[in-house]
């Protein structure tokens, strides 16, 4: 009886293992498709910046509550959110770090746009 019990456990583990691997592959494929779709919607440099910084342009804009890339508005919202999320005033270090990452991402996008603008002016 112990032999049959061991075989049942082994077969059950194999079935669960295969199902887990299949689910993992599907999740990986879905993640890759989402990343590819996001990359197609952004310019190549912008998509690269999103991958490097780890936050998309849209997410950064949502975090800092800006709809357009206005440097003054970005800085104003960043300063406010950074202060209210300071740990010394009862804020969250995690949220504060998200605010910093969002600012870095938007600053990088502004740098990319400035570079593109200079290249367009040089061509004309």
């Amino acid at each position: 009886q112990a032999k049959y019990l061991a075989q049942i456990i082994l077969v059950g583990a194999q079935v669960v293992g295969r199902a887990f691997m299949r689910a993992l592959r599907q999740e990986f494929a879905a993640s890759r498709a989402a990343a590819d779709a996001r990359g197609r919607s952004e310019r190549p440099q912008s998509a690269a910046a999103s991958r490097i910084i780890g936050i998309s342009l849209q997410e950064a804009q949502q975090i800092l509550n800006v709809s357009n890339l206005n440097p003054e508005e970005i800085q104003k919202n960043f300063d406010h959110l950074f202060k209210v999320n300071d740990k010394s005033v009862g804020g969250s270090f995690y949220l504060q770090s998200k605010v910093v990452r969002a600012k870095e991402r938007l600053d990088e996008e502004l740098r990319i746009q400035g570079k593109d603008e200079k290249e367009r002016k040089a061509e004309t």
Side-chain angles (χ1 to χ4, degrees):
Q1 283 183 335
K3 179 180 174 183
Y4 295 121
L5 184 60
Q7 286 178 338
I8 290 171
I9 292 172
L10 182 63
V11 170
Q14 288 174 340
V15 169
V16 170
R18 280 191 223 116
F20 178 75
M21 288 304 295
R22 191 176 314 120
L24 195 60
R25 279 191 216 105
Q26 288 174 348
E27 182 61 33
F28 181 71
S31 176
R32 169 83 73 204
D36 290 345
R38 186 179 26 188
R40 283 192 300 273
S41 68
E42 297 179 348
R43 295 184 320 272
Q45 288 179 326
S46 185
S50 291
R51 281 191 301 277
I52 291 168
I53 296 174
I55 187 171
S56 72
L57 178 60
Q58 291 79 17
E59 186 179 0
Q61 288 177 309
Q62 287 177 338
I63 291 170
L64 289 181
N65 194 28
V66 293
S67 55
N68 57 6
L69 296 178
N70 178 345
E72 292 81 24
E73 183 181 4
I74 291 169
Q75 187 63 47
K76 179 182 155 226
N77 290 359
F78 167 77
D79 290 339
H80 171 72
L81 290 170
F82 191 83
K83 284 179 193 173
V84 298
N85 287 301
D86 190 1
K87 195 166 178 138
S88 65
V89 294
S92 165
F93 179 72
Y94 173 76
L95 292 177
Q96 195 177 43
S97 67
K98 290 295 268 186
V99 168
V100 170
R101 296 292 165 252
K103 173 89 167 57
E104 288 175 349
R105 178 64 183 92
L106 294 177
D107 287 345
E108 182 64 17
E109 190 65 24
L110 288 170
R111 187 193 66 75
I112 291 168
Q113 285 183 359
K115 184 179 174 186
D116 289 347
E117 195 172 301
K118 283 181 183 178
E119 288 175 359
R120 272 188 249 123
K121 286 182 181 178
E123 290 174 358
T124 58

